[in-house]
Amino acid sequence: MMPPEEESPDGDRDGGLVLLQGPKSGSTRKGCDPFAQTQRSKLQHRRARINQQINKEMRMRAGAENLFRATSNHKVKETVALELSYVNSNLQLLKEELEELNSSMDVYQNESESISVPMIPLGLKETKELDLLVPLKDFISEHYGEEGVLYEKEIKEFMELRQAMRTPSRNEAGLELLMEYYNQLYFLDSRFFPPSKTLGVFFHWYDSLTGVPSHQRALAFEKGSVLFNLGALHTQIGARQDRASLPGLNHAIDAFQKAAGAFNYLKENFSNAPSLDMSTASLTMLVRLMVAQVQECVFEKMTLLHAQNDFLARLQLAQEAARVEDVYSLVHQTMSQPHVKDYVPFSWTTMVQVKSEHFKALSHYFAAIALCECPAPSDAELLEQEKAFLQFHVTMPEGPSLRVLLQDPEERRKLGKAHLKKAIMKHEEAMRIHGLCKILRKMDILQEVLSFAHKRSLSKYSEIDHEEDFFETGEAPDIHPKTHQKPEIKSPNFSQVKVTDLFHRLGPLSVFSAKNKWYPARRVHLVRGENGFGFTLRGDSPVLIAGVIPGGCAAEAGLKEGDYIISVNGKDCKWSKHAEVVQLLKSTGKEGVDIGVITLQGSECPKAVDRKAAVMSSGSGMLKSNKENNRKSLMNSKSASTLLVWSKKSKRSKKSTYSGVPFTAVGDNEAMY
């Protein structure tokens, strides 16, 4: 999207969100072709179909339950009960089918020939189409006093953006499309959703994992669902990276960190979500899952960087693997909680448990490799290796002193054998758990990775096992988890995608918003008198009438202090600068000028006007003198009137801020006309 030529004086910032309001509008971003038959689109279409079927079955169930409660006829009750059993059976089958789709991780994975453990991505939340044409047109007519039909183009453009947002491409453009729509919702909220009234529009979304439909009138539900999809799309982008290369790993790490940030932001800023996927328990689980997947990528990155057979490098890999096992154990505990256990797909829970056991096995394998394949340290290396080994195990291994252990090849072999024994046990446990899940058994890549790791450990064990070993292999102590790249939860950067307010023609948000109420617009005809029009102006976009001389032309025509000028001779002036409005007024002839004005409700100050009448009647000469005394009297006065209470969030320039200055204290940017 091209940025506007210049930022309006009312460019809003909302927690780092840079939003531009200007003369240009429109989006060049489009979603994916909904009819494109890619594997991912087919999967999403199946999800959408199942969501609709679940919605239909749930409505039938609700109707049957109501009839069952309402009827007293025994035969009708029996018939309804039988129907309910069929409906519940269908719902269970549909939810199982949806769970299988949510477990279809291979569709989102990278297609390279390299073997990598699959990552867990999320499917996008589905939503129903939304027709905003009539509600927004009615609101514009009722609230803003303008013809709603004049804004059909902007409304349709917003609806097209929403439609495109439903099918974002799986790349940076798709992320920007979701972010653009999310940012536009800020303007929609400010323009059309007053605090005390709803627009009467329902936002329908389906739960990402269960397909259960939810709807709310609150725009926050729409915002939260879009933010959820932003995180879900990051997971899909992270899962498709080629993790056999450093650039691919770095991209995957970044994507999963941003996914964690989106889910965490959603958890902290949105509450009372109607769907389970956006509940606090579910989002906590998703954040921890993304952090674990980042940690897994960090481990893979370390294996690429430390390809050499170095003792300290192997210890580092063992501790990295132990750290991955640690975070996946936490994810498994979270998935086993009562509020999450029945909600998360069984394949996810199993996959997380498999990974936990797999990486624990790898940590012991790399510990054994460090001890058995790396040569004994020289005197120069001994001190550094002792220091590293002191922090390696959770508890020190039994046997000789650390120095003897590191220098004696036989002692190293004994401890390495103990680590390998534990590695083999954990590999076998991972394969056993993997075999319990029907969906995971179909994933050839995961089966291949587990089998390869198991065979590698068995091979190394048989290699170091001697026939003359009469000692009983001891229990290897657990390895202390440690990482050299701690995952970072990256919150969404809303300022990354700058958008233009599609409804900028309604006027600056500081005045023309849903929260403000004003009287119907008035048209005032003014003819310049001997002393001008008889009012002073202040500010920009829109220009404010700061004061009116009693008995002057402006006062007789009906202008009031606190009015905003929205047009001059039919020219829209909502966005006009002070100087532009002045020029339009000065260019009028003897026939006079037509001024369109609005008055905010609650901005009238009749007492203040009466109080200033005596001062105003003395003409403009007093305005140019004794300014310092007037400023002092203003600061000491407790009764200075306020023509407009500005929103705390509104950031208007000093030039355009009216702060209740008495008419006698004319600022440098005020002048009599």
Side-chain angles (χ1 to χ4, degrees):
M1 178 175 181
M2 294 296 292
E5 290 177 356
E6 91 180 314
E7 183 172 349
S8 76
D10 279 80
D12 289 82
R13 293 175 182 270
D14 181 23
L17 167 58
V18 177
L19 301 169
L20 302 182
Q21 303 176 134
K24 290 189 178 181
S25 65
S27 171
T28 57
R29 298 193 180 97
K30 303 295 179 186
C32 288
D33 178 5
F35 300 105
Q37 292 299 300
T38 63
Q39 289 295 323
R40 175 171 164 263
S41 68
K42 287 179 182 177
L43 183 66
Q44 203 67 32
H45 283 156
R46 287 177 64 196
R47 285 170 58 87
R49 178 181 58 79
I50 294 171
N51 285 339
Q52 291 169 4
Q53 289 177 325
I54 289 174
N55 190 16
K56 180 182 175 182
E57 294 290 340
M58 289 189 70
R59 285 160 61 188
M60 289 176 62
R61 184 172 71 177
E65 287 174 344
N66 289 337
L67 179 58
F68 187 85
R69 285 192 293 266
T71 186
S72 56
N73 188 304
H74 184 66
K75 287 187 176 180
V76 172
K77 274 186 177 289
E78 283 186 351
T79 306
V80 173
L82 183 62
E83 184 65 30
L84 271 172
S85 68
Y86 283 131
V87 170
N88 287 327
S89 177
N90 288 340
L91 271 173
Q92 185 60 35
L93 290 172
L94 287 169
K95 288 182 178 180
E96 287 176 5
E97 188 179 349
L98 187 61
E99 180 181 343
E100 188 169 347
L101 289 185
N102 288 323
S103 305
S104 301
M105 307 170 203
D106 52 330
V107 173
Y108 300 102
Q109 307 302 318
N110 183 266
E111 296 179 356
S112 69
E113 295 181 359
S114 61
I115 299 175
S116 299
V117 180
M119 293 293 185
I120 298 177
L122 275 75
L124 301 178
K125 284 172 71 71
E126 292 284 343
T127 180
K128 286 186 178 181
E129 289 190 12
L130 185 64
D131 189 355
L132 290 168
L133 190 61
V134 174
L136 293 189
K137 281 168 62 177
D138 289 348
F139 190 86
I140 289 170
S141 300
E142 177 189 338
H143 185 79
Y144 291 99
E146 297 195 40
E147 290 292 334
V149 70
L150 299 176
Y151 289 85
E152 280 190 358
K153 180 185 175 184
E154 286 90 340
I155 298 171
K156 288 178 179 177
E157 196 169 337
F158 179 84
M159 288 165 58
E160 286 172 4
L161 178 61
R162 189 182 190 273
Q163 185 65 21
M165 170 277 305
R166 296 175 67 185
T167 56
S169 54
R170 190 171 38 162
N171 52 27
E172 195 65 32
L175 295 170
E176 289 182 358
L177 175 61
L178 288 172
M179 191 73 81
E180 178 181 348
Y181 180 69
Y182 183 89
N183 287 355
Q184 279 293 349
L185 290 176
Y186 166 82
F187 287 120
L188 195 76
D189 192 13
S190 301
R191 296 284 191 193
F192 300 105
F193 286 82
S196 58
K197 181 183 175 183
T198 63
L199 196 61
V201 175
F202 280 100
F203 298 98
H204 293 260
W205 288 84
Y206 295 94
D207 191 287
S208 174
L209 296 180
T210 65
V212 174
S214 302
H215 64 269
Q216 275 193 352
R217 285 192 178 97
L219 192 66
F221 184 39
E222 179 90 345
K223 287 182 180 179
S225 299
V226 174
L227 195 57
F228 185 95
N229 274 359
L230 187 71
L233 193 58
H234 274 302
T235 69
Q236 295 181 12
I237 291 172
R240 77 177 306 191
Q241 299 302 317
D242 180 8
R243 304 200 316 274
S245 66
L246 277 177
L249 279 168
N250 286 330
H251 285 140
I253 289 171
D254 184 60
F256 288 127
Q257 287 183 152
K258 287 178 178 176
F263 296 134
N264 194 58
Y265 186 90
L266 186 57
K267 184 184 73 172
E268 291 179 350
N269 292 278
F270 293 83
S271 57
N272 303 320
S275 57
L276 279 173
D277 54 357
M278 294 198 293
S279 66
T280 301
S282 176
L283 292 171
T284 299
M285 178 272 294
L286 289 175
V287 171
R288 290 176 177 175
L289 175 60
M290 294 307 117
V291 168
Q293 296 192 145
V294 171
Q295 202 70 67
E296 183 177 348
C297 291
V298 170
F299 168 78
E300 293 174 336
K301 184 177 177 181
M302 298 306 294
T303 59
L304 285 180
L305 292 174
H306 298 298
Q308 72 277 15
N309 192 16
D310 175 72
F311 181 77
L312 294 178
R314 290 290 172 261
L315 291 188
Q316 186 177 337
L317 279 177
Q319 289 188 296
E320 287 284 358
R323 177 60 181 162
V324 179
E325 182 267 331
D326 202 36
V327 290
Y328 271 120
S329 292
L330 178 61
V331 175
H332 185 256
Q333 289 174 21
T334 311
M335 287 181 171
S336 302
Q337 296 297 317
H339 296 295
V340 185
K341 184 178 180 181
D342 298 329
Y343 169 70
V344 177
F346 177 65
S347 59
W348 285 23
T349 310
T350 308
M351 169 79 91
V352 166
Q353 196 175 3
V354 165
K355 286 192 175 189
S356 179
E357 298 294 338
H358 173 67
F359 282 100
K360 187 158 191 177
L362 288 183
S363 69
H364 286 285
Y365 169 78
F366 282 110
I369 293 298
L371 290 163
C372 299
E373 288 193 356
C374 298
S378 63
D379 292 338
E381 298 170 330
L382 185 60
L383 187 61
E384 188 179 5
Q385 290 194 10
E386 275 186 321
K387 184 179 178 182
F389 216 68
L390 273 171
Q391 301 174 353
F392 184 69
H393 290 107
V394 175
T395 57
M396 287 302 295
E398 297 178 1
S401 66
L402 186 57
R403 181 164 293 231
V404 172
L405 172 63
L406 290 173
Q407 290 183 315
D408 187 342
E410 183 59 23
E411 291 296 334
R412 287 166 70 110
R413 186 181 71 85
K414 285 182 181 180
L415 183 56
K417 190 175 177 182
H419 276 296
L420 274 175
K421 182 180 177 183
K422 201 162 190 176
I424 292 167
M425 289 171 59
K426 290 298 174 183
H427 282 311
E428 290 172 351
E429 179 64 9
M431 295 172 74
R432 184 191 70 81
I433 296 169
H434 173 267
L436 295 175
C437 182
K438 180 180 69 174
I439 294 173
L440 291 190
R441 286 201 302 268
K442 297 176 183 177
M443 298 184 68
D444 297 336
I445 296 176
L446 184 57
Q447 179 74 45
E448 196 172 341
V449 169
L450 295 176
S451 179
F452 170 79
H454 181 235
K455 288 177 182 177
R456 186 176 61 176
S457 293
L458 280 174
S459 175
K460 178 54 65 177
Y461 187 85
S462 61
E463 183 183 316
I464 66 170
D465 185 30
H466 295 167
E467 290 182 5
E468 61 272 16
D469 281 348
F470 296 107
F471 64 86
E472 186 175 341
T473 306
E475 179 78 11
D478 284 333
I479 294 160
H480 182 69
K482 186 179 179 182
T483 183
H484 289 72
Q485 184 177 336
K486 190 176 180 181
E488 178 187 352
I489 296 176
K490 293 186 176 180
S491 295
N493 181 12
F494 297 114
S495 62
Q496 181 182 351
V497 179
K498 296 182 179 181
V499 300
T500 307
D501 178 11
L502 290 174
F503 298 93
H504 71 275
R505 286 198 295 131
L506 288 172
L509 264 177
S510 57
V511 175
F512 301 92
S513 66
K515 68 182 179 183
N516 285 335
K517 294 182 180 179
W518 47 81
Y519 297 106
R522 314 191 311 278
R523 294 211 173 273
V524 177
H525 184 74
L526 291 179
V527 178
R528 192 193 305 271
E530 293 181 3
N531 296 322
F533 291 116
F535 58 74
T536 61
L537 302 179
R538 175 188 286 276
D540 292 321
S541 307
V543 173
L544 178 76
I545 294 178
V548 179
I549 298 176
C553 301
E556 290 180 0
L559 280 182
K560 301 175 184 177
E561 179 181 340
D563 282 347
Y564 286 102
I565 297 178
I566 59 172
S567 68
V568 176
N569 281 337
K571 177 179 172 57
D572 193 304
C573 294
K574 297 190 198 80
W575 284 101
S576 297
K577 303 283 187 182
H578 185 100
E580 293 170 358
V581 173
V582 170
Q583 188 58 41
L584 287 172
L585 292 172
K586 285 184 176 179
S587 63
T588 58
K590 295 180 180 179
E591 67 278 5
V593 60
D594 286 322
I595 300 178
V597 294
I598 59 166
T599 306
L600 282 177
Q601 292 186 19
S603 66
E604 311 92 327
C605 302
K607 292 182 180 179
V609 173
D610 293 341
R611 190 170 61 248
K612 296 173 213 165
V615 178
M616 294 299 300
S617 62
S618 63
S620 60
M622 194 172 190
L623 301 177
K624 299 179 182 178
S625 64
N626 211 13
K627 289 184 180 179
E628 188 61 36
N629 290 334
N630 287 326
R631 289 194 185 98
K632 290 178 180 178
S633 66
L634 167 64
M635 293 176 68
N636 294 330
S637 173
K638 295 183 180 179
S639 60
S641 61
T642 301
L643 296 186
L644 177 65
V645 179
W646 297 96
S647 167
K648 292 180 180 178
K649 292 184 179 179
S650 178
K651 293 190 176 181
R652 294 176 61 85
S653 61
K654 292 179 181 178
K655 185 177 179 182
S656 61
T657 302
Y658 190 81
S659 56
V661 180
F663 195 74
T664 52
V666 180
D668 295 336
N669 63 331
E670 275 186 21
M672 176 74 74
Y673 301 103

